Amino acid sequence: MSTEMVSRRRAAGLFDRISKSVHAIWQKAAFRPDVAVILGTGLGNLTKRVRKEATIPYAEIPHFPRSTVMSHEGRLVFGTLGGKRTVVMDGRVHFYEGYTLEQVTFPVRVLRKLGAKILIVSNAAGGLNQAFKKGDLVLVSDHINLLGVNPLVGPNDNRLGLRFPDMSAPYSERLIALAQRAAVEKGIALKQGVYLAVSGPCLETRAEYRMMQNLGADLVGMSTVPEVIVGVHGGFEILALSIVTDVCDPDHLKPLKIEEVIQVANESGPKLDDLVEAVVEQLPHVR
Ligand code: HPA
């Protein structure tokens, strides 16, 4: 078999797996979402605000990766949020768990094929910007991919997106403006910054934090960027929001435990949930 044929087969394999997942989901829930939300570490409570029509555990969806981290539930929740048909991914997988980036981003492909056009991603992140405080809510304006890999490496299936997707504005200016307006209306303080993605799982050294600050990053985390890259590739309009769970001050760095990250995310969750709900509510009719 020629190299080109092997490539084409691999690309077709991804397309077929997406279709299989979508069909399995539609057998359980005949639902076409307009909005998709991916929830970050400690931020699962948003599902309580969804007027639920169906819940499907990832274990029941063919090819869906399952989280190995306790703080993530692992289910798709379908229903109405802020008056819009929404699917919430309660629990995501990370590159550091050992999944390939194709596996990490597979759900994004499925959410798009289910019909969603808007993607809202949340995460817990370290605050590199010294103006940020623990518990701050930050709108992601742009990103830096320091994962050392890219989820689009490999054969490209033109049915899924372009070979060389543009990255001049991965985060929708329309959604950023909408989120800023909604935050003012709700009295929620909202900052803005550049998110830098690392693979993890270890946290960063002081020298690494200094380097990241010098690179122009305001936030650091171990998720979001792969999903956003694949989201752009697939044609999603994207909004990303971070909760600052720890302040990365290289000159006064204290040891950080994941339990603290989860606690701060849990405490600030309601603020993030309020904002996401308000944004979804204020979206003009999606279709
Ligand atoms: N570094 C990387 N990922 C993180 C951090 C951090 O300081 N905080 C929360 N996620």
Side-chain angles (χ1 to χ4, degrees):
M1 213 187 301
S2 71
T3 320
E4 200 197 319
M5 272 172 73
V6 172
S7 283
R8 241 188 285 133
R9 247 186 220 192
R10 242 185 83 194
L14 173 60
F15 192 88
D16 292 346
R17 288 196 300 281
I18 297 163
S19 302
K20 253 194 204 129
S21 284
V22 168
H23 285 133
I25 291 167
W26 275 338
Q27 297 226 304
K28 291 172 195 288
F31 191 93
R32 266 185 86 84
D34 290 320
V35 180
V37 184
I38 301 179
L39 299 180
T41 305
L43 299 168
N45 278 329
L46 184 77
T47 56
K48 294 192 181 134
R49 305 193 185 200
V50 178
R51 195 140 53 77
K52 293 184 190 61
E53 291 194 20
T55 296
I56 308 177
Y58 296 163
E60 294 176 16
I61 308 171
H63 308 298
F64 238 66
R66 284 162 65 190
S67 176
T68 60
V69 189
M70 326 158 298
S71 51
H72 290 260
E73 282 274 339
R75 56 183 187 152
L76 286 185
V77 176
F78 295 89
T80 311
L81 178 73
K84 305 288 189 308
R85 280 179 304 186
T86 303
V87 53
V88 179
M89 248 187 95
D90 189 13
R92 62 144 71 90
V93 303
H94 300 80
F95 187 52
Y96 63 70
E97 294 176 73
Y99 291 105
T100 64
L101 285 187
E102 187 182 290
Q103 290 174 306
V104 168
T105 57
F106 182 79
V108 177
R109 301 282 189 199
V110 172
L111 299 176
R112 184 77 183 102
K113 188 126 184 182
L114 286 171
K117 293 186 176 59
I118 307 262
L119 177 65
I120 302 176
V121 189
S122 69
N123 62 58
L128 296 161
N129 184 327
Q130 298 304 295
F132 291 175
K133 288 187 282 302
K134 245 192 215 188
D136 276 357
L137 184 56
V138 186
L139 198 57
V140 177
S141 56
D142 208 345
H143 73 226
I144 298 172
N145 177 16
L146 276 197
L147 290 168
V149 275
N150 187 297
L152 303 179
V153 166
N156 187 63
D157 189 326
N158 294 327
R159 292 171 293 182
L160 297 175
L162 298 173
R163 173 72 289 187
F164 300 106
D166 177 67
M167 283 288 153
S168 59
Y171 302 89
S172 158
E173 300 201 347
R174 177 178 87 113
L175 295 182
I176 288 175
L178 206 153
Q180 282 169 329
R181 208 171 344 115
V184 171
E185 280 171 23
K186 296 269 165 194
I188 301 168
L190 182 60
K191 297 185 174 166
Q192 198 167 320
V194 172
Y195 179 100
L196 183 148
V198 289
S199 72
C202 60
L203 290 146
E204 292 71 33
T205 63
R206 286 174 292 172
E208 285 166 343
Y209 283 142
R210 269 188 212 106
M211 174 196 73
M212 290 169 181
Q213 289 170 333
N214 288 333
L215 288 177
D218 300 294
L219 300 158
V220 55
M222 305 173 192
S223 68
T224 303
V225 167
E227 289 103 319
V228 168
I229 291 172
V230 166
V232 170
H233 185 245
F236 263 120
E237 190 178 356
I238 301 170
L239 180 75
L241 295 159
S242 298
I243 295 283
V244 175
T245 52
D246 53 290
V247 175
C248 313
D249 179 356
D251 297 326
H252 308 92
L253 195 61
K254 289 195 274 305
L256 175 67
K257 291 204 186 76
I258 187 69
E259 290 78 12
E260 284 175 60
V261 168
I262 294 168
Q263 193 193 333
V264 177
N266 278 327
E267 284 166 7
S268 301
K271 190 166 61 173
L272 178 93
D273 296 347
D274 283 346
L275 184 63
V276 170
E277 193 174 8
V279 166
V280 175
E281 200 174 313
Q282 290 182 24
L283 279 171
H285 201 64
V286 186
R287 276 165 205 286

